[in-house]
Amino acid sequence: MMSSIVPATKERLLDVFYGIYKKDAAQVLRALTDLKIIVSRGDDLSLRRAITYFLNNIAKQTQEQETIAAIGEDMFAVALDQPFRFPATFTFVLRAFSTLEGIGRALDPDYKFVAVAQPYATQLLNLEGAQAQQTFLLEQVGKQAIELGQATVAMPARVEQMSSTLSGLEGGDIKLRVRALEVERAARRASIMQTVTVQSVACATLVNVGSQLAASSHPGLATFLFSGSSVFGFLIYKGFKRVRRIDKFEKGIRGGS
């Protein structure tokens, strides 16, 4: 089955490429949102901070502890919001890249896809060719003119909206809501511990009943209950492992602050 990427998707992919090159987190976030890779949850501040951090450190390999200390709370917020999606279109794109990589390595053990793609990336960045450069410049000038016109037209409405918002805050009609990530982490830990407690009670109950049945010459039913208790035991282990991971994460954030 063969398909192609529509022009709008190509433009958004180029926006992502140029945004990464210019280290423009806002452009990258906007392009990924248009590509449906990111679903906006209303509060994109943590996501923008995380993208900015990775763009600024794209040339070096940072340690996990350093990353947690720098943007640990933002990464936790992103993990809770789960804004990332993977459209079906890019499944075939990645499969095509992996196929090319496999064929290239089979024919040449020293084959590197990055080295092959570098001239094309350089061409995109340098905008080789007068026609491509002229078209790009005209598009950029036109886009900036449109954005400037829209900003000028929307300025009175924005001022009125700001005035209305301030009036609503003063009158109590609008209430500010602050997202406390530390409270969210504590609530998540408490929820996991509550689940582990319920599972521990169920595990102990099954072991107790199974022991009594085994003593009463009902080995088949006792084995079934012991199997159920082992399942709960595994769930308890996973729960405590998640708690330890949250505690380690919290310790990393506090250590970096």
Side-chain angles (χ1 to χ4, degrees):
M1 183 179 69
M2 298 182 62
S3 183
S4 60
I5 301 177
V6 297
T9 303
K10 291 181 180 179
E11 292 179 4
R12 298 290 82 78
L13 289 174
L14 284 176
D15 289 340
V16 174
F17 180 78
Y18 288 125
I20 294 174
Y21 175 73
K22 295 185 295 184
K23 296 185 178 180
D24 188 346
Q27 181 177 349
V28 173
L29 179 60
R30 184 168 55 252
L32 291 178
T33 303
D34 293 339
L35 288 170
K36 308 299 182 184
I37 295 178
I38 292 178
V39 178
S40 178
R41 299 295 186 181
D43 182 14
D44 295 332
L45 179 60
S46 297
L47 190 58
R48 186 180 293 108
R49 279 174 50 85
I51 293 176
T52 301
Y53 175 81
F54 287 114
L55 288 179
N56 292 334
N57 295 275
I58 196 171
K60 65 177 182 178
Q61 190 170 359
T62 57
Q63 299 295 327
E64 179 181 358
Q65 192 64 28
E66 182 182 353
T67 303
I68 292 177
I71 55 168
E73 292 194 356
D74 298 310
M75 293 297 293
F76 184 83
V78 171
L80 286 181
D81 293 339
Q82 296 182 350
F84 292 99
R85 300 293 183 270
F86 196 76
T89 303
F90 298 103
T91 304
F92 299 101
V93 174
L94 292 179
R95 184 176 179 180
F97 280 128
S98 61
T99 302
L100 290 175
E101 180 81 10
I103 295 175
R105 287 188 177 275
L107 297 176
D108 183 7
D110 297 329
Y111 171 83
K112 293 182 179 180
F113 182 79
V114 176
V116 176
Q118 184 176 358
Y120 300 96
T122 304
Q123 183 178 1
L124 285 175
L125 294 176
N126 294 335
L127 295 174
E128 293 181 351
Q131 183 177 1
Q133 185 172 6
Q134 184 179 4
T135 302
F136 178 77
L137 291 176
L138 289 176
E139 289 179 355
Q140 291 298 314
V141 171
K143 186 182 297 185
Q144 292 179 5
I146 293 175
E147 291 178 354
L148 180 61
Q150 291 176 347
T152 304
V153 173
M155 186 61 68
R158 291 181 179 178
V159 174
E160 183 179 356
Q161 184 180 7
M162 291 173 60
S163 177
S164 176
T165 302
L166 291 175
S167 299
L169 289 173
E170 293 175 354
D173 297 328
I174 299 177
K175 297 182 179 179
L176 290 177
R177 181 182 177 184
V178 180
R179 185 175 187 181
L181 298 177
E182 185 175 353
V183 176
E184 289 186 13
R185 291 195 298 272
R188 187 174 181 84
R189 187 183 189 281
S191 176
I192 296 174
M193 288 301 300
Q194 184 178 4
T195 303
V196 169
T197 302
V198 173
Q199 293 170 348
S200 300
V201 172
C203 181
T205 302
L206 291 177
V207 171
N208 188 18
V209 176
S211 300
Q212 294 180 4
L213 290 175
S216 302
S217 300
H218 293 84
L221 188 56
T223 302
F224 176 75
L225 294 179
F226 286 143
S227 301
S229 66
S230 64
V231 173
F232 278 110
F234 177 72
L235 294 176
I236 293 169
Y237 168 76
K238 287 187 64 179
F240 278 118
K241 192 173 181 180
R242 291 173 63 189
V243 170
R244 285 197 299 270
R245 190 159 56 240
I246 292 178
D247 291 340
K248 181 181 178 182
F249 187 81
E250 187 76 25
K251 184 178 180 181
I253 293 177
R254 293 182 184 275
S257 58

